[in-house]
Amino acid sequence: MIRIKIIDKLVLKSFLGPFFLTYAVVVFILLIHTMMGYVEELVGKDVGFVVFAKMLMYFSMSLTPLALPLAVLLSCLITFGNLGEHFELTAIKSAGISLVRVLYPIGVFAAIITAIALWFSDRVVPYANLKAYSTLYNIRITKASIDLKEGAFYNGLPGYSIKVAKKENDGKLLRKVMIYNHTANKGNKEVILADSAYMYTILDGKYLVMELFKGRSYSDYIEGSANNTQFLRHEFDHTKMVFSLSAFEMSEIPDSLFVHHRMMKTINELEADADSLSSQVVNLKETIPQNMAAYFTYHLEELRPKPTDTLRLRAASNEAIELPKEFLDSLKRRSIPESQLAIILQRAVGQARGVKQFLDMREKLIKDKEKEVREHLIEKHRKYTYSLACFIMFLIGAPLGAIIKKGGLGVPILVSIVFFILFYALSMTGEKWAKDGVVSVFWGMWTSDFILLAFGLFFLQKARNDSRMFDKDIYIHYFRRLGQRLRGKSQEVVQEA
């Protein structure tokens, strides 16, 4: 085993702490941003803490490929910013160790993270997406827990409409209760009024019991004919109503319903599906001439008028169809009776419309299939681009931190946000263009990595040459000299005048 030098241990120790911390923070921020889009659908769903915790865990796993590049960038900036700010990087260079040698241990770690990110995106993320979105769908279709509002009707219980005037004792004691029973689907034929009610659940929350006190019930019953209607009124001091809460229980939709989406597939599955869809596109294009042949045939024998067709021929001959004179002359030279001309033209117009409709439908189908192919290829390339972005962010963050020489969280966070927004904006723009077919999928997905790689190589070259490109004194001196030159030229112009 190769002995790791002390300098490598120092750099790795300074890097690993900020890396894991920034990774956790970035995943948390991305998770909050993702969940904000579903907050209205999740509030009020009494499905248990364990279910929510599992869903958040799966979403955190699916966001890991996007969080790793930012975590690598920010931790590299913090690590080398601290080394430069405390002159440790200067001491290392004075000992004859080049900057590239100092970057070596973190570069190896970034390469390992890149490989792990690719494996994670290919194997773990599809399963995490499957479980996350299936759990989210099960929660979304689950009804919200009972929440009676004062002075408003509540229709969450199937077949009932409930209104209360006031709630007491944490919502268990109700005042002035009105309940409409719609279970018979006969309208507002049954209503119960009570001065107060006490509400609680039984059998592990499967049923809701509402005990009513000092009330009346009113019912309209129709017996026999519609004119034979009976009105019933009943008064009570105490009664109970039991409601089933099965509609509020979380249903378990099988994962197999979601497994066919591209986000739930590995690289090999995406490639296989893209090839299959491409074959379908080729087949659709090749069968167009064969399917269109039926629209370009007709037989003159079928156009000969029959006695029963007199009215139809007369109606057809009255239609105004304008055609070139040369075409009409060619029909006359063929000795085609004028009585058949209207039928020929009518069928030609119908065939032309059929051809246009067929081609429009086939064009839409081909475009949809081609877009689906591009979407599968985009999902495949995303796994590579996000993984390689981890190493590219190392090439940006480590040299840039050595140049800036500012540790802590202030400057590194600001620089990280700038480059991450640049990476994300370029990725989303390229993905949209690739999805719409404006550019190829390769260039749409890889352009962001190529641009950031150019930044990384540029910063690495500047750091190797001990560039002071971010030293404010240089720019202050430059602008002072520029101002002096401008003032000198203005004085010369005044003296000449």
Side-chain angles (χ1 to χ4, degrees):
M1 180 179 180
I2 300 176
R3 184 172 60 90
I4 301 177
K5 295 183 178 181
I6 298 177
I7 186 64
D8 295 338
K9 290 183 179 180
L10 172 65
V11 175
L12 277 176
K13 184 178 179 181
S14 302
F15 174 80
L16 292 178
F19 172 74
F20 290 111
L21 177 61
T22 52
Y23 166 74
V25 172
V26 171
V27 169
F28 177 76
I29 294 174
L30 293 176
L31 183 62
I32 293 298
H33 177 266
T34 302
M35 290 293 101
M36 287 300 294
Y38 307 108
V39 64
E40 294 183 357
E41 301 175 359
L42 301 178
V43 171
K45 304 298 180 68
D46 189 15
V47 295
F49 173 77
V50 176
V51 176
F52 277 109
K54 287 183 178 179
M55 183 186 66
L56 295 178
M57 180 188 68
Y58 289 131
F59 270 110
S60 300
M61 295 167 63
S62 65
L63 292 171
T64 293
L66 184 60
L68 283 176
L70 182 56
V72 171
L73 174 62
L74 183 56
S75 55
C76 285
L77 284 168
I78 293 175
T79 300
F80 286 91
N82 287 329
L83 292 176
E85 187 177 14
H86 296 93
F87 302 102
E88 292 175 323
L89 199 57
T90 304
I92 293 173
K93 290 180 180 180
S94 63
I97 302 175
S98 65
L99 177 65
V100 176
R101 180 62 186 84
V102 178
L103 299 179
Y104 178 77
I106 299 183
V108 173
F109 184 82
I112 295 174
I113 289 295
T114 300
I116 294 175
L118 180 59
W119 174 84
F120 197 86
S121 299
D122 184 36
R123 299 296 177 180
V124 180
V125 170
Y127 175 78
N129 285 333
L130 176 63
K131 302 300 292 185
Y133 285 101
S134 61
T135 305
L136 176 63
Y137 181 79
N138 290 331
I139 295 176
R140 292 170 68 177
I141 64 176
T142 302
K143 287 191 174 183
S145 57
I146 297 177
D147 186 15
L148 298 175
K149 303 293 184 181
E150 295 181 356
F153 279 100
Y154 175 76
N155 300 312
L157 289 170
Y160 294 92
S161 183
I162 304 174
K163 179 182 178 181
V164 298
K166 189 177 181 181
K167 297 191 300 182
E168 299 176 1
N169 193 14
D170 296 332
K172 295 181 180 180
L173 182 59
L174 311 175
R175 301 291 185 184
K176 301 295 182 181
V177 181
M178 178 184 296
I179 303 175
Y180 281 98
N181 188 349
H182 299 148
T183 54
N185 295 323
K186 295 181 179 180
N188 297 329
K189 298 294 184 180
E190 298 184 31
V191 60
I192 300 175
L193 303 176
D195 292 342
S196 61
Y198 187 75
M199 187 171 60
Y200 56 91
T201 58
I202 59 174
L203 300 179
D204 296 329
K206 294 183 178 180
Y207 296 92
L208 173 69
V209 178
M210 188 176 290
E211 296 190 23
L212 305 173
F213 302 94
K214 294 183 180 181
R216 298 164 298 282
S217 63
Y218 304 92
S219 303
D220 287 343
Y221 287 97
I222 300 177
E223 294 184 359
S225 63
N227 295 326
N228 188 9
T229 303
Q230 294 186 2
F231 178 76
L232 300 180
R233 175 180 176 180
H234 173 69
E235 295 186 1
F236 58 86
D237 291 330
H238 178 218
T239 188
K240 290 184 179 181
M241 295 186 67
V242 181
F243 306 92
S244 174
L245 299 181
S246 58
F248 296 86
E249 296 179 358
M250 180 177 172
S251 57
E252 291 293 338
I253 303 297
D255 295 340
S256 58
L257 296 179
F258 305 89
V259 74
H260 300 291
H261 195 274
R262 60 185 180 277
M263 294 178 61
M264 289 68 174
K265 296 182 179 180
T266 62
I267 293 177
N268 293 332
E269 293 172 343
L270 290 170
E271 289 179 347
D273 289 348
D275 292 340
S276 177
L277 291 170
S278 299
S279 300
Q280 295 179 21
V281 172
V282 173
N283 183 60
L284 288 172
K285 292 180 179 180
E286 291 178 348
T287 55
I288 288 178
Q290 179 182 355
N291 294 331
M292 287 180 59
Y295 294 97
F296 293 97
T297 59
Y298 67 92
H299 302 281
L300 294 178
E301 291 78 5
E302 298 178 358
L303 299 176
R304 292 177 180 175
K306 300 177 181 179
T308 57
D309 295 339
T310 305
L311 182 60
R312 182 172 60 84
L313 290 175
R314 186 180 298 112
S317 62
N318 292 332
E319 295 183 2
I321 302 177
E322 296 183 2
L323 294 174
K325 184 176 182 300
E326 295 79 5
F327 178 73
L328 296 175
D329 293 339
S330 65
L331 292 178
K332 291 179 180 180
R333 286 195 298 268
R334 295 180 184 180
S335 301
I336 299 177
E338 293 184 1
S339 59
Q340 298 182 20
L341 182 59
I343 301 177
I344 295 174
L345 299 179
Q346 188 180 31
R347 289 193 177 185
V349 172
Q351 288 176 350
R353 290 172 179 170
V355 170
K356 183 179 183 301
Q357 184 178 5
F358 167 76
L359 291 177
D360 290 341
M361 293 176 61
R362 185 57 61 91
E363 181 184 14
K364 184 178 183 304
L365 183 59
I366 291 174
K367 286 183 177 180
D368 292 341
K369 290 291 183 181
E370 289 178 343
K371 185 176 181 180
E372 197 171 352
V373 172
R374 293 194 295 269
E375 289 175 346
H376 279 73
L377 294 177
I378 286 171
E379 194 67 32
K380 177 189 122 177
H381 282 277
R382 184 187 290 116
K383 297 179 185 296
Y384 290 106
T385 55
Y386 279 15
S387 302
L388 186 60
C390 295
F391 191 79
I392 294 176
M393 290 301 182
F394 154 73
L395 292 178
I396 295 176
L400 198 57
I403 295 173
I404 297 175
K405 298 180 181 179
K406 291 291 183 181
L409 295 176
V411 176
I413 287 180
L414 179 62
V415 176
S416 300
I417 290 175
V418 171
F419 279 99
F420 183 76
I421 290 176
L422 177 63
F423 169 71
Y424 191 75
L426 291 173
S427 299
M428 293 299 102
T429 303
E431 180 178 335
K432 184 179 185 303
W433 286 356
K435 188 180 296 184
D436 295 338
V438 178
V439 297
S440 65
V441 174
F442 177 83
W443 288 109
M445 296 303 296
W446 286 92
T447 300
S448 58
D449 279 17
F450 291 154
I451 293 176
L452 291 180
L453 178 61
F455 275 106
L457 296 176
F458 172 76
F459 290 138
L460 180 60
Q461 180 65 25
K462 291 296 183 180
R464 291 182 62 185
N465 298 332
D466 292 329
S467 173
R468 299 175 61 191
M469 58 183 300
F470 292 101
D471 192 345
K472 64 180 181 180
D473 294 335
I474 296 178
Y475 298 100
I476 292 174
H477 179 68
Y478 171 77
F479 283 112
R480 283 179 178 174
R481 292 185 61 185
L482 180 61
Q484 291 175 358
R485 289 182 180 180
L486 293 176
R487 285 193 299 270
K489 289 183 179 181
S490 62
Q491 292 176 0
E492 291 177 0
V493 172
V494 172
Q495 291 176 0
E496 291 178 359

PDB file of all heavy atoms in Angstrom, residues 362-381:
ATOM      1  N   ARG A 362     -50.279  11.037 -39.363  1.00  0.00           N
ATOM      2  CA  ARG A 362     -49.012  10.317 -39.353  1.00  0.00           C
ATOM      3  C   ARG A 362     -47.859  11.243 -38.942  1.00  0.00           C
ATOM      4  O   ARG A 362     -46.942  10.839 -38.218  1.00  0.00           O
ATOM      5  CB  ARG A 362     -48.759   9.716 -40.731  1.00  0.00           C
ATOM      6  CG  ARG A 362     -47.519   8.836 -40.816  1.00  0.00           C
ATOM      7  CD  ARG A 362     -47.567   7.690 -39.802  1.00  0.00           C
ATOM      8  NE  ARG A 362     -48.667   6.802 -39.990  1.00  0.00           N
ATOM      9  CZ  ARG A 362     -48.635   5.701 -40.748  1.00  0.00           C
ATOM     10  NH1 ARG A 362     -47.525   5.389 -41.389  1.00  0.00           N
ATOM     11  NH2 ARG A 362     -49.686   4.915 -40.839  1.00  0.00           N
ATOM     12  N   GLU A 363     -47.903  12.499 -39.389  1.00  0.00           N
ATOM     13  CA  GLU A 363     -46.866  13.458 -39.007  1.00  0.00           C
ATOM     14  C   GLU A 363     -46.876  13.716 -37.504  1.00  0.00           C
ATOM     15  O   GLU A 363     -45.818  13.752 -36.862  1.00  0.00           O
ATOM     16  CB  GLU A 363     -47.066  14.772 -39.763  1.00  0.00           C
ATOM     17  CG  GLU A 363     -46.009  15.819 -39.446  1.00  0.00           C
ATOM     18  CD  GLU A 363     -46.283  17.149 -40.120  1.00  0.00           C
ATOM     19  OE1 GLU A 363     -47.409  17.345 -40.604  1.00  0.00           O
ATOM     20  OE2 GLU A 363     -45.381  18.000 -40.138  1.00  0.00           O
ATOM     21  N   LYS A 364     -48.054  13.874 -36.936  1.00  0.00           N
ATOM     22  CA  LYS A 364     -48.151  14.093 -35.485  1.00  0.00           C
ATOM     23  C   LYS A 364     -47.648  12.873 -34.722  1.00  0.00           C
ATOM     24  O   LYS A 364     -46.933  13.006 -33.716  1.00  0.00           O
ATOM     25  CB  LYS A 364     -49.595  14.407 -35.090  1.00  0.00           C
ATOM     26  CG  LYS A 364     -49.777  14.755 -33.620  1.00  0.00           C
ATOM     27  CD  LYS A 364     -51.210  15.091 -33.319  1.00  0.00           C
ATOM     28  CE  LYS A 364     -51.383  15.505 -31.845  1.00  0.00           C
ATOM     29  NZ  LYS A 364     -50.898  14.470 -30.908  1.00  0.00           N
ATOM     30  N   LEU A 365     -48.001  11.689 -35.203  1.00  0.00           N
ATOM     31  CA  LEU A 365     -47.557  10.472 -34.531  1.00  0.00           C
ATOM     32  C   LEU A 365     -46.039  10.330 -34.601  1.00  0.00           C
ATOM     33  O   LEU A 365     -45.391   9.973 -33.608  1.00  0.00           O
ATOM     34  CB  LEU A 365     -48.245   9.257 -35.170  1.00  0.00           C
ATOM     35  CG  LEU A 365     -47.951   7.891 -34.540  1.00  0.00           C
ATOM     36  CD1 LEU A 365     -48.371   7.875 -33.081  1.00  0.00           C
ATOM     37  CD2 LEU A 365     -48.670   6.787 -35.307  1.00  0.00           C
ATOM     38  N   ILE A 366     -45.461  10.633 -35.764  1.00  0.00           N
ATOM     39  CA  ILE A 366     -44.008  10.538 -35.911  1.00  0.00           C
ATOM     40  C   ILE A 366     -43.307  11.556 -35.020  1.00  0.00           C
ATOM     41  O   ILE A 366     -42.297  11.249 -34.368  1.00  0.00           O
ATOM     42  CB  ILE A 366     -43.615  10.729 -37.392  1.00  0.00           C
ATOM     43  CG1 ILE A 366     -44.081   9.530 -38.222  1.00  0.00           C
ATOM     44  CG2 ILE A 366     -42.106  10.918 -37.536  1.00  0.00           C
ATOM     45  CD1 ILE A 366     -43.866   9.682 -39.704  1.00  0.00           C
ATOM     46  N   LYS A 367     -43.829  12.789 -34.973  1.00  0.00           N
ATOM     47  CA  LYS A 367     -43.221  13.808 -34.120  1.00  0.00           C
ATOM     48  C   LYS A 367     -43.291  13.419 -32.649  1.00  0.00           C
ATOM     49  O   LYS A 367     -42.327  13.638 -31.896  1.00  0.00           O
ATOM     50  CB  LYS A 367     -43.907  15.151 -34.338  1.00  0.00           C
ATOM     51  CG  LYS A 367     -43.545  15.817 -35.667  1.00  0.00           C
ATOM     52  CD  LYS A 367     -44.198  17.183 -35.783  1.00  0.00           C
ATOM     53  CE  LYS A 367     -43.777  17.888 -37.070  1.00  0.00           C
ATOM     54  NZ  LYS A 367     -44.402  19.219 -37.200  1.00  0.00           N
ATOM     55  N   ASP A 368     -44.413  12.851 -32.228  1.00  0.00           N
ATOM     56  CA  ASP A 368     -44.537  12.418 -30.830  1.00  0.00           C
ATOM     57  C   ASP A 368     -43.539  11.302 -30.517  1.00  0.00           C
ATOM     58  O   ASP A 368     -42.922  11.295 -29.444  1.00  0.00           O
ATOM     59  CB  ASP A 368     -45.960  11.952 -30.548  1.00  0.00           C
ATOM     60  CG  ASP A 368     -46.970  13.092 -30.579  1.00  0.00           C
ATOM     61  OD1 ASP A 368     -46.541  14.255 -30.462  1.00  0.00           O
ATOM     62  OD2 ASP A 368     -48.176  12.834 -30.743  1.00  0.00           O
ATOM     63  N   LYS A 369     -43.396  10.361 -31.448  1.00  0.00           N
ATOM     64  CA  LYS A 369     -42.443   9.268 -31.229  1.00  0.00           C
ATOM     65  C   LYS A 369     -41.010   9.793 -31.202  1.00  0.00           C
ATOM     66  O   LYS A 369     -40.195   9.375 -30.369  1.00  0.00           O
ATOM     67  CB  LYS A 369     -42.593   8.220 -32.328  1.00  0.00           C
ATOM     68  CG  LYS A 369     -43.877   7.416 -32.272  1.00  0.00           C
ATOM     69  CD  LYS A 369     -43.908   6.494 -31.071  1.00  0.00           C
ATOM     70  CE  LYS A 369     -45.171   5.638 -31.060  1.00  0.00           C
ATOM     71  NZ  LYS A 369     -45.230   4.747 -29.879  1.00  0.00           N
ATOM     72  N   GLU A 370     -40.678  10.713 -32.110  1.00  0.00           N
ATOM     73  CA  GLU A 370     -39.328  11.279 -32.129  1.00  0.00           C
ATOM     74  C   GLU A 370     -39.051  12.065 -30.851  1.00  0.00           C
ATOM     75  O   GLU A 370     -37.932  12.015 -30.317  1.00  0.00           O
ATOM     76  CB  GLU A 370     -39.168  12.174 -33.354  1.00  0.00           C
ATOM     77  CG  GLU A 370     -39.107  11.405 -34.670  1.00  0.00           C
ATOM     78  CD  GLU A 370     -39.007  12.329 -35.865  1.00  0.00           C
ATOM     79  OE1 GLU A 370     -39.318  13.535 -35.702  1.00  0.00           O
ATOM     80  OE2 GLU A 370     -38.627  11.861 -36.950  1.00  0.00           O
ATOM     81  N   LYS A 371     -40.039  12.798 -30.355  1.00  0.00           N
ATOM     82  CA  LYS A 371     -39.854  13.522 -29.104  1.00  0.00           C
ATOM     83  C   LYS A 371     -39.659  12.557 -27.943  1.00  0.00           C
ATOM     84  O   LYS A 371     -38.843  12.802 -27.040  1.00  0.00           O
ATOM     85  CB  LYS A 371     -41.063  14.427 -28.840  1.00  0.00           C
ATOM     86  CG  LYS A 371     -40.901  15.302 -27.612  1.00  0.00           C
ATOM     87  CD  LYS A 371     -42.080  16.246 -27.435  1.00  0.00           C
ATOM     88  CE  LYS A 371     -41.891  17.133 -26.214  1.00  0.00           C
ATOM     89  NZ  LYS A 371     -43.031  18.058 -26.032  1.00  0.00           N
ATOM     90  N   GLU A 372     -40.382  11.443 -27.970  1.00  0.00           N
ATOM     91  CA  GLU A 372     -40.218  10.438 -26.912  1.00  0.00           C
ATOM     92  C   GLU A 372     -38.831   9.816 -26.969  1.00  0.00           C
ATOM     93  O   GLU A 372     -38.228   9.520 -25.922  1.00  0.00           O
ATOM     94  CB  GLU A 372     -41.303   9.368 -27.066  1.00  0.00           C
ATOM     95  CG  GLU A 372     -41.499   8.519 -25.835  1.00  0.00           C
ATOM     96  CD  GLU A 372     -42.707   7.623 -25.938  1.00  0.00           C
ATOM     97  OE1 GLU A 372     -43.482   7.760 -26.909  1.00  0.00           O
ATOM     98  OE2 GLU A 372     -42.880   6.764 -25.050  1.00  0.00           O
ATOM     99  N   VAL A 373     -38.310   9.608 -28.191  1.00  0.00           N
ATOM    100  CA  VAL A 373     -36.939   9.106 -28.327  1.00  0.00           C
ATOM    101  C   VAL A 373     -35.952  10.096 -27.722  1.00  0.00           C
ATOM    102  O   VAL A 373     -35.042   9.720 -26.965  1.00  0.00           O
ATOM    103  CB  VAL A 373     -36.609   8.855 -29.816  1.00  0.00           C
ATOM    104  CG1 VAL A 373     -35.126   8.527 -29.976  1.00  0.00           C
ATOM    105  CG2 VAL A 373     -37.443   7.706 -30.360  1.00  0.00           C
ATOM    106  N   ARG A 374     -36.125  11.376 -28.041  1.00  0.00           N
ATOM    107  CA  ARG A 374     -35.224  12.399 -27.503  1.00  0.00           C
ATOM    108  C   ARG A 374     -35.317  12.468 -25.987  1.00  0.00           C
ATOM    109  O   ARG A 374     -34.305  12.666 -25.300  1.00  0.00           O
ATOM    110  CB  ARG A 374     -35.547  13.760 -28.122  1.00  0.00           C
ATOM    111  CG  ARG A 374     -35.241  13.847 -29.614  1.00  0.00           C
ATOM    112  CD  ARG A 374     -35.257  15.291 -30.101  1.00  0.00           C
ATOM    113  NE  ARG A 374     -36.589  15.886 -29.984  1.00  0.00           N
ATOM    114  CZ  ARG A 374     -37.504  15.862 -30.944  1.00  0.00           C
ATOM    115  NH1 ARG A 374     -37.244  15.253 -32.095  1.00  0.00           N
ATOM    116  NH2 ARG A 374     -38.676  16.437 -30.778  1.00  0.00           N
ATOM    117  N   GLU A 375     -36.511  12.329 -25.430  1.00  0.00           N
ATOM    118  CA  GLU A 375     -36.664  12.383 -23.972  1.00  0.00           C
ATOM    119  C   GLU A 375     -35.933  11.223 -23.303  1.00  0.00           C
ATOM    120  O   GLU A 375     -35.320  11.394 -22.237  1.00  0.00           O
ATOM    121  CB  GLU A 375     -38.147  12.367 -23.608  1.00  0.00           C
ATOM    122  CG  GLU A 375     -38.870  13.669 -23.946  1.00  0.00           C
ATOM    123  CD  GLU A 375     -40.356  13.582 -23.689  1.00  0.00           C
ATOM    124  OE1 GLU A 375     -40.869  12.450 -23.515  1.00  0.00           O
ATOM    125  OE2 GLU A 375     -41.028  14.635 -23.658  1.00  0.00           O
ATOM    126  N   HIS A 376     -35.983  10.031 -23.904  1.00  0.00           N
ATOM    127  CA  HIS A 376     -35.257   8.895 -23.337  1.00  0.00           C
ATOM    128  C   HIS A 376     -33.748   9.120 -23.423  1.00  0.00           C
ATOM    129  O   HIS A 376     -33.012   8.807 -22.468  1.00  0.00           O
ATOM    130  CB  HIS A 376     -35.644   7.609 -24.071  1.00  0.00           C
ATOM    131  CG  HIS A 376     -36.928   7.005 -23.597  1.00  0.00           C
ATOM    132  ND1 HIS A 376     -38.162   7.561 -23.891  1.00  0.00           N
ATOM    133  CD2 HIS A 376     -37.188   5.901 -22.830  1.00  0.00           C
ATOM    134  CE1 HIS A 376     -39.116   6.826 -23.340  1.00  0.00           C
ATOM    135  NE2 HIS A 376     -38.553   5.822 -22.692  1.00  0.00           N
ATOM    136  N   LEU A 377     -33.287   9.647 -24.546  1.00  0.00           N
ATOM    137  CA  LEU A 377     -31.851   9.917 -24.684  1.00  0.00           C
ATOM    138  C   LEU A 377     -31.403  11.034 -23.740  1.00  0.00           C
ATOM    139  O   LEU A 377     -30.285  10.998 -23.211  1.00  0.00           O
ATOM    140  CB  LEU A 377     -31.536  10.292 -26.127  1.00  0.00           C
ATOM    141  CG  LEU A 377     -31.729   9.179 -27.163  1.00  0.00           C
ATOM    142  CD1 LEU A 377     -31.450   9.689 -28.560  1.00  0.00           C
ATOM    143  CD2 LEU A 377     -30.831   7.981 -26.849  1.00  0.00           C
ATOM    144  N   ILE A 378     -32.262  12.025 -23.526  1.00  0.00           N
ATOM    145  CA  ILE A 378     -31.940  13.100 -22.581  1.00  0.00           C
ATOM    146  C   ILE A 378     -31.775  12.534 -21.180  1.00  0.00           C
ATOM    147  O   ILE A 378     -30.831  12.889 -20.451  1.00  0.00           O
ATOM    148  CB  ILE A 378     -33.044  14.181 -22.616  1.00  0.00           C
ATOM    149  CG1 ILE A 378     -32.931  15.004 -23.900  1.00  0.00           C
ATOM    150  CG2 ILE A 378     -32.950  15.096 -21.397  1.00  0.00           C
ATOM    151  CD1 ILE A 378     -34.091  15.944 -24.116  1.00  0.00           C
ATOM    152  N   GLU A 379     -32.682  11.656 -20.782  1.00  0.00           N
ATOM    153  CA  GLU A 379     -32.581  11.043 -19.452  1.00  0.00           C
ATOM    154  C   GLU A 379     -31.303  10.222 -19.327  1.00  0.00           C
ATOM    155  O   GLU A 379     -30.658  10.206 -18.264  1.00  0.00           O
ATOM    156  CB  GLU A 379     -33.798  10.149 -19.205  1.00  0.00           C
ATOM    157  CG  GLU A 379     -33.983   9.727 -17.772  1.00  0.00           C
ATOM    158  CD  GLU A 379     -34.321  10.888 -16.853  1.00  0.00           C
ATOM    159  OE1 GLU A 379     -34.977  11.841 -17.308  1.00  0.00           O
ATOM    160  OE2 GLU A 379     -33.912  10.833 -15.672  1.00  0.00           O
ATOM    161  N   LYS A 380     -30.909   9.557 -20.406  1.00  0.00           N
ATOM    162  CA  LYS A 380     -29.671   8.774 -20.382  1.00  0.00           C
ATOM    163  C   LYS A 380     -28.444   9.686 -20.270  1.00  0.00           C
ATOM    164  O   LYS A 380     -27.557   9.452 -19.439  1.00  0.00           O
ATOM    165  CB  LYS A 380     -29.580   7.937 -21.652  1.00  0.00           C
ATOM    166  CG  LYS A 380     -28.296   7.134 -21.770  1.00  0.00           C
ATOM    167  CD  LYS A 380     -28.186   6.523 -23.148  1.00  0.00           C
ATOM    168  CE  LYS A 380     -26.921   6.990 -23.804  1.00  0.00           C
ATOM    169  NZ  LYS A 380     -26.686   6.389 -25.115  1.00  0.00           N
ATOM    170  N   HIS A 381     -28.385  10.733 -21.093  1.00  0.00           N
ATOM    171  CA  HIS A 381     -27.227  11.633 -21.060  1.00  0.00           C
ATOM    172  C   HIS A 381     -27.169  12.414 -19.746  1.00  0.00           C
ATOM    173  O   HIS A 381     -26.065  12.782 -19.309  1.00  0.00           O
ATOM    174  CB  HIS A 381     -27.301  12.613 -22.236  1.00  0.00           C
ATOM    175  CG  HIS A 381     -26.873  12.008 -23.537  1.00  0.00           C
ATOM    176  ND1 HIS A 381     -25.554  11.908 -23.913  1.00  0.00           N
ATOM    177  CD2 HIS A 381     -27.594  11.448 -24.538  1.00  0.00           C
ATOM    178  CE1 HIS A 381     -25.477  11.327 -25.103  1.00  0.00           C
ATOM    179  NE2 HIS A 381     -26.702  11.041 -25.509  1.00  0.00           N
TER     180      HIS A 381
END
